[in-house]
Amino acid sequence: MIGTNFKFVRWEKYNVVSTAYDYVYVTLEAKDPVSGSVFSFQTLLNEDYSPDCSVMWNTLACRIKCNDRVDTRWDDSAVDGFYKEPIPKWLSDEELARDNINYYVVQESELQENDWLHLFTEIAFFSKTNHELTAPPPLEIEKVVVVTKEDTEEGHEKLKAQNAIFYVSYKYNGESSEWARDHKAVIRKTMDGKPGHMYLEVAATAD
């Protein structure tokens, strides 16, 4: 939910319905760190597949539990064509160094303030390991570059863009020697403007 910073408490239940796609219905317990209130939170995910992406998740509901009808229709026409192209690979050093108004290098303080960046990175890492690791991985984000076409007055506002591509450099500091190295992830987030809707993709290969 835009403008909120709810914290995960525990899982309540989930259910998977398989048709042409897999629909995952999740109910969890969340907490508002400002008021201290605890409540049930609902999420509906649609999982898609592509050889270019290890993750293709379409969030169709993301809300405090209620009985309102869920709008499951994604409005693809609302998304700029730039974000419909094949998901890019890694930016070259020359591109990263270029003074481009569409690029923003996330500051260290912003990495600490925006928990969802760590969640996105964990999703990318788990997809790379084929979900072999079950415990939350000890990941250290080293650098994030945001690329977006959205107009912003300040560079740091690109981090909040509804549509953006994130180039993440991170390190795994866990016990598994197989994964103990530097990693890269290319993550694309798009939104169609409808409440609770978000599309998340992770490139199959970035490093």
Side-chain angles (χ1 to χ4, degrees), residues 76-90:
D76 197 54
S77 64
V79 181
D80 189 288
F82 172 75
Y83 304 100
K84 299 177 185 178
E85 298 176 357
I87 192 166
K89 303 303 181 183
W90 190 252

Side-chain angles (χ1 to χ4, degrees), residues 9-10 35 49 70 118 148:
V9 177
R10 66 178 182 88
S35 66
Y49 303 94
V70 174
H118 294 268
T148 180

